[in-house]
Amino acid sequence: YSDHSYSFVHLDCDLASSYITCLEFFYPRMNQGGYILFDEYLDPIYTIATEAIDKFFEDKPEKPIKIERDNYIKYYIQKA
């Protein structure tokens, strides 16, 4: 599906290497204004996932944004 573009992607990868692989694939294919939702961002069990996401976005304009509802906290970016 490398010839497709995306408006919403939900990543639930657990592993740092999987997050990097997915972000390298999806990020350049995201529509402007599209969302990537992260399952493990800032989860104390999956600190390597957070590190991988932060490293990927360190040279990009987007930074993870917190969303909270019904005692659930997740993070996402919106493609600039």
Side-chain angles (χ1 to χ4, degrees):
Y1 295 98
S2 60
D3 59 339
H4 288 71
S5 61
Y6 301 88
S7 295
F8 178 78
V9 172
H10 179 195
L11 297 180
D12 183 358
C13 299
D14 300 345
L15 303 175
S17 60
S18 298
Y19 265 107
I20 294 301
T21 298
C22 289
L23 286 168
E24 287 174 348
F25 179 84
F26 285 110
Y27 181 80
R29 293 169 176 85
M30 293 301 296
N31 294 322
Q32 184 177 4
Y35 295 92
I36 301 176
L37 178 68
F38 306 107
D39 191 63
E40 289 86 15
Y41 191 79
L42 290 182
D43 186 317
I45 296 172
Y46 299 102
T47 57
I48 58 171
T50 300
E51 292 170 15
I53 293 165
D54 286 343
K55 182 176 172 95
F56 184 84
F57 284 100
E58 68 186 3
D59 64 344
K60 296 174 180 55
E62 300 87 1
K63 302 301 174 220
I65 300 165
K66 180 178 174 180
I67 184 170
E68 185 173 357
R69 183 173 177 150
D70 298 331
N71 295 324
Y72 290 98
I73 299 171
K74 295 295 176 192
Y75 289 81
Y76 68 94
I77 62 99
Q78 184 173 16
K79 181 81 180 268

